Amino acid sequence: MSSLVRHITIDCRDAYELGRFWSLVTGRPPADDDQPGDPEVLIALPEGPDLLFIQVPEGKSVKNRVHLDLQPDSTRDEEVERLLGIGATLFDDQRRPDGTGWVVLADPEGNEFCVERSAAERAATS
């Protein structure tokens, strides 16, 4: 017996607005029936679990114990710039002089996530 991870659920103050941000991150639209003010928003991903945003009354108060690691289809640095342009903020920069490493960003509600090197960048250094 086993279980399938169906959703990665993120608590937030505004499910629709945070869902819109992550829609831009992933290039996937919110579900057709999701509207501003909805307490839940679903972003269906082409592979793996979907992202589910649930409105809760309390704000984020400590560092996430679970976070998402993103692998872009462009370069890591191009993706970091794109995400900063759509509302992410820089949390921690772990890029190394040899081109390895990652960048920790935060979404508009302060949830941390990492941007890793692309598959092409990883292949070029292996």
Side-chain angles (χ1 to χ4, degrees):
M1 262 205 274
S2 64
S3 293
L4 172 72
V5 177
R6 184 169 170 218
H7 299 124
I8 297 171
T9 303
I10 300 170
D11 290 351
C12 54
R13 287 206 181 256
D14 188 330
Y16 187 77
E17 285 304 312
L18 195 58
R20 280 181 11 125
F21 170 81
W22 281 97
S23 173
L24 293 172
V25 171
T26 62
R28 305 291 298 177
D32 290 340
D33 59 348
D34 289 332
Q35 301 295 320
D38 284 353
E40 298 179 3
V41 170
L42 180 72
I43 306 293
L45 300 176
E47 296 179 24
D50 297 331
L51 299 178
L52 180 61
F53 301 89
I54 303 287
Q55 188 170 313
V56 297
E58 67 276 357
K60 181 178 176 291
S61 60
V62 297
K63 183 180 181 298
N64 297 8
R65 293 194 55 139
V66 174
H67 67 268
L68 303 178
D69 289 339
L70 305 180
Q71 179 179 282
D73 57 13
S74 61
T75 69
R76 174 198 56 211
D77 295 346
E78 289 170 335
E79 183 67 351
V80 166
E81 290 306 312
R82 183 182 80 86
L83 297 175
L84 290 170
I86 64 170
T89 55
L90 180 64
F91 186 82
D92 189 25
D93 193 333
Q94 292 292 320
R95 289 178 278 198
R96 298 183 190 106
D98 67 357
T100 62
W102 63 93
V103 178
V104 183
L105 300 178
D107 71 20
E109 291 204 15
N111 301 299
E112 300 92 1
F113 62 97
C114 294
V115 181
E116 300 178 344
R117 293 179 300 152
S118 68
E121 289 174 298
R122 288 173 186 261
T125 60
S126 58

